[in-house]
């Protein structure tokens, strides 16, 4: 078993646990499978940190690795890639809207998460809150 810290992602204290012989990675709250994640800005979290952590997780696993998220069902490498791609796309959409001078309310109204909502909105973090969390960090 190997414990590794992430640079600030979900918070400033995220850790992963790699069970090397079993080919299992526990990602903690840096990966919310099929759910929009919570980003705790009060404790150092950021959307860019979440993307960095997702990239680190992808680099550390193979196609057969079991990935245990902080929330949601157990996943695989392909789930991490889909999650990272969702984070990047929404981050870029929100950054573009904010860069054009839109307020957080206007950005929410523009529905930057809409292409992803059918899959990712199932948890406690809905599209509006996730947009606010991303807006705060870009």
């Amino acid at each position: 078993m190997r414990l590794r810290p992430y640079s600030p992602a979900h918070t400033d204290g995220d850790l992963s646990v790699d069970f090397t012989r079993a080919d299992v990675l526990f990602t903690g709250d840096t990966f919310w499978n099929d759910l929009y994640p919570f980003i705790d800005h009060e404790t150092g979290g950021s959307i860019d940190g979440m993307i960095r952590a997702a990239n680190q997780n992808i680099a550390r696993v193979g196609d057969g690795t079991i990935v245990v998220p902080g929330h949601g069902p157990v996943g695989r490498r392909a789930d991490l890639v889909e999650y990272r791609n969702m984070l990047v796309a929404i981050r870029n959409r929100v950054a573009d809207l904010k860069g054009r001078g839109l307020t957080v309310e206007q950005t929410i109204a523009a529905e930057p998460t809409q292409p992803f909502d059918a899959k990712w909105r199932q948890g406690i973090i809905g599209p509006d809150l996730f947009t606010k969390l991303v807006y705060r960090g870009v």
Side-chain angles (χ1 to χ4, degrees), residues 48-117:
D48 290 334
M50 292 291 281
I51 293 167
R52 276 192 306 275
N55 285 329
Q56 290 171 351
N57 290 333
I58 291 165
R60 290 168 44 193
V61 302
D63 290 338
T65 304
I66 295 169
V67 182
V68 180
H71 298 268
V74 169
R76 299 287 182 166
R77 185 177 195 279
D79 299 306
L80 287 171
V81 170
E82 184 180 15
Y83 176 73
R84 187 267 322 270
N85 292 347
M86 175 272 296
L87 293 176
V88 169
I90 293 173
R91 185 229 180 269
N92 291 345
R93 290 168 186 251
V94 171
D96 177 61
L97 294 167
K98 186 175 181 179
R100 288 194 264 151
L102 273 67
T103 66
V104 68
E105 293 81 13
Q106 292 168 324
T107 300
I108 290 167
E111 299 182 333
T113 65
Q114 191 278 326
F116 304 94
D117 288 347

